[in-house]
Amino acid sequence: MLGIIDKVIKHAAKTKGGVDVNTGYNYPQLISKFAMGAVFYNQAIDNYLDEKLAADNKPNSKPYKDGAHYTGKEHVWDEAWGYWGAAAHSNTLSPKENYEITKMKNLGAADLNGDGMVDLKSEYVFAHAYYAAGFDKGGKTNYMQTVNNAFLNGRKLITSANGENLTDAERANLMGYAKVIGSNWEKVIAEAVFKYAGSVYKDMNKLS
């Protein structure tokens, strides 16, 4: 996969602004959207929130690694959250405010601690969380808060085990939160595909 990406990047470098007028390929968009699906979504849903939630994988009774102050399960859950892309305080903001953070139109909403800077690790909105906020601001969906709440509730469940392995019941509840995250994340991607397919259709009509 990395070899293919490397070839695409090299070809994109030969174009003007990353767009190949001969093929119509917009390489910055192709690369970024590929990464969002093949890396962010796949890693979170088909790895960290799937097999790594198994009882014998990344146990909650041990540190993730020597010297770590968090357990294996805490690490797994937090990795998936990172791929989602929401800010730590996204639930305190409106969908419009979250959307505007990514668009860099309302960085005041991003600056939670008021230090005049935006911490990209905790105060910015990335990737699919940004898409979710974009759809939610229309008032017809609530993808971002639904996914955020499932992540937060799952993390509280893991932490409440106090460094002990999760019981079967606790793991079942955790898998339930993972299912909510996966289904809503999938809907966000589907909405994006529908949106861009509609844009392409309109452009094709104009060209014809």
Side-chain angles (χ1 to χ4, degrees), residues 78-127:
D78 292 348
E79 282 277 357
W81 164 259
Y83 280 120
W84 168 239
H89 65 300
S90 278
N91 270 7
T92 68
L93 305 174
S94 68
K96 183 174 181 288
E97 287 173 321
N98 278 296
Y99 177 81
E100 289 175 343
I101 287 173
T102 307
K103 288 293 187 181
M104 301 185 73
K105 293 181 178 180
N106 189 358
L107 295 181
D111 187 15
L112 178 64
N113 61 8
D115 65 355
M117 297 181 288
V118 177
D119 188 337
L120 296 180
K121 294 189 291 183
S122 61
E123 296 179 331
Y124 200 70
V125 180
F126 294 92

Side-chain angles (χ1 to χ4, degrees), residues 4-77:
I4 295 174
I5 295 175
D6 186 54
K7 290 180 180 178
V8 171
I9 292 174
K10 286 180 179 178
H11 189 84
K14 298 176 182 178
T15 65
K16 185 176 181 180
V19 178
D20 187 336
V21 295
N22 294 314
T23 61
Y25 290 162
N26 184 322
Y27 284 103
Q29 290 297 323
L30 283 171
I31 294 168
S32 65
K33 298 308 184 288
F34 174 81
M36 286 173 67
V39 180
F40 302 175
Y41 174 77
N42 180 266
Q43 276 289 84
I45 302 303
D46 194 39
N47 184 17
Y48 292 112
L49 300 185
D50 189 12
E51 56 258 35
K52 281 192 169 62
L53 291 186
D56 59 350
N57 199 335
K58 308 299 178 188
N60 198 52
S61 60
K62 297 179 181 179
Y64 169 64
K65 60 183 179 181
D66 290 342
H69 299 287
Y70 44 88
T71 70
K73 281 291 182 283
E74 286 173 336
H75 171 78
V76 164
W77 199 257

